[in-house]
Amino acid sequence: MTNSVILVPQGAEYKAVCRSLRKNTELMPKVLSIPVGMQPLTKYLQQWDKQQVSPSKVLVMGLCGSLRQRYTVGDVVLYQHCTYQGQVQECDRSFTTQLYSPLHQQLSLVKGLTSDRVIWSATEKSHLGQTSDSDVVDMESFAAVQFFQQMGVAVTVLRVVSDDCQHDIPNLTDAISADGSLQTLPLAWGLIRQPIAATRLIRGSLQGLKVLEKVTQSLFING
């Protein structure tokens, strides 16, 4: 993983990955905090040259939602490809295989779907699983895979499931600002309005973040 960069959505996901790597900073890949959402990330990547980073490999990490019953909270998934509005972007096969080989007992190869809004209802998750032929959903991966594939940089996606497809989570779309940051008050209000769903989301997110830390350690520290 020399000359590699990890992209992680800002906030708790970014902090979880950084916690795993902070004791070994000299040998570790560079970790960059990215905006939440397709459009904010696309704008961020358009300014990529200002990052002064020229990686040979890019790994997108973070949490995701399940679209199928077989994938539950805490499952680690590695994307084969990612779909957005009918377009499909393949992840780099050799890089994906490199990550899969040492972790194959801990993770599943999946088909990812990227959405430009929060997919919060169980009904829609199940529907998307059937109609999109995808296994999990997130809000950033397609933009990153498309951008780096066009640059000729090997890119793939490793995420952890934080909500299943059988239960609703709060609709937090309004809590994500146009620049891809989370707004505290709309986020809090969204959680308060749906307390049962909020409790489920928080529990799943905490579990997912713990697994995200562990799989980061497995990849970059232990092996």
Side-chain angles (χ1 to χ4, degrees):
M1 291 294 288
T2 54
N3 192 30
S4 56
V5 167
I6 303 174
L7 301 181
V8 195
Q10 62 183 256
E13 294 161 87
Y14 173 74
K15 291 175 183 175
V17 171
C18 288
R19 272 196 300 272
S20 293
L21 302 179
R22 63 187 173 193
K23 295 179 182 178
N24 296 267
T25 51
E26 291 182 12
L27 301 174
M28 293 300 110
K30 186 177 183 66
V31 185
L32 298 177
S33 171
I34 60 173
V36 176
M38 268 288 292
Q39 301 310 319
L41 179 56
T42 298
K43 291 178 182 177
Y44 171 90
L45 292 172
Q46 288 169 352
Q47 305 294 318
W48 180 257
D49 57 333
K50 295 180 181 177
Q51 294 287 343
Q52 297 181 329
V53 179
S54 300
S56 59
K57 295 176 181 176
V58 172
L59 176 60
V60 181
M61 299 186 77
L63 302 178
C64 63
S66 173
L67 299 178
R68 299 187 187 275
Q69 291 188 21
R70 71 174 76 107
Y71 302 109
T72 59
V73 175
D75 286 354
V76 184
V77 294
L78 183 63
Y79 287 23
Q80 295 172 295
H81 65 238
C82 195
T83 301
Y84 175 70
Q85 295 184 351
Q87 304 174 69
V88 179
Q89 284 288 334
E90 298 286 338
C91 294
D92 185 86
R93 289 188 181 183
S94 60
F95 187 20
T96 301
T97 301
Q98 178 189 348
L99 296 178
Y100 180 74
S101 297
L103 295 174
H104 67 276
Q105 294 180 323
Q106 301 178 43
L107 55 74
S108 301
L109 286 171
V110 299
K111 301 169 185 175
L113 175 71
T114 295
S115 170
D116 50 16
R117 58 186 176 80
V118 176
I119 306 300
W120 59 272
S121 78
T123 302
E124 186 173 14
K125 291 181 208 175
S126 297
H127 176 72
L128 283 173
Q130 295 168 5
T131 58
S132 70
D133 190 32
S134 298
D135 303 306
V136 297
V137 62
D138 66 60
M139 295 181 66
E140 300 85 21
S141 295
F142 182 91
V145 174
Q146 181 181 54
F147 179 82
F148 289 106
Q149 288 283 38
Q150 290 174 349
M151 282 183 63
V153 175
V155 56
T156 194
V157 182
L158 181 72
R159 289 184 178 257
V160 179
V161 175
S162 60
D163 61 277
D164 62 36
C165 67
Q166 297 172 280
H167 300 93
D168 292 352
I169 60 172
N171 182 3
L172 301 178
T173 300
D174 291 342
I176 302 170
S177 65
D179 65 0
S181 61
L182 290 174
Q183 302 180 87
T184 305
L185 288 177
L187 177 63
W189 180 239
L191 296 174
I192 290 168
R193 282 188 301 181
Q194 297 170 278
I196 296 174
T199 300
R200 188 179 295 115
L201 174 65
I202 292 167
R203 189 185 299 126
S205 296
L206 290 173
Q207 184 178 341
L209 290 168
K210 285 181 182 178
V211 175
L212 186 61
E213 279 192 58
K214 289 180 181 178
V215 75
T216 304
Q217 288 179 336
S218 297
L219 274 176
F220 301 105
I221 298 175
N222 302 334

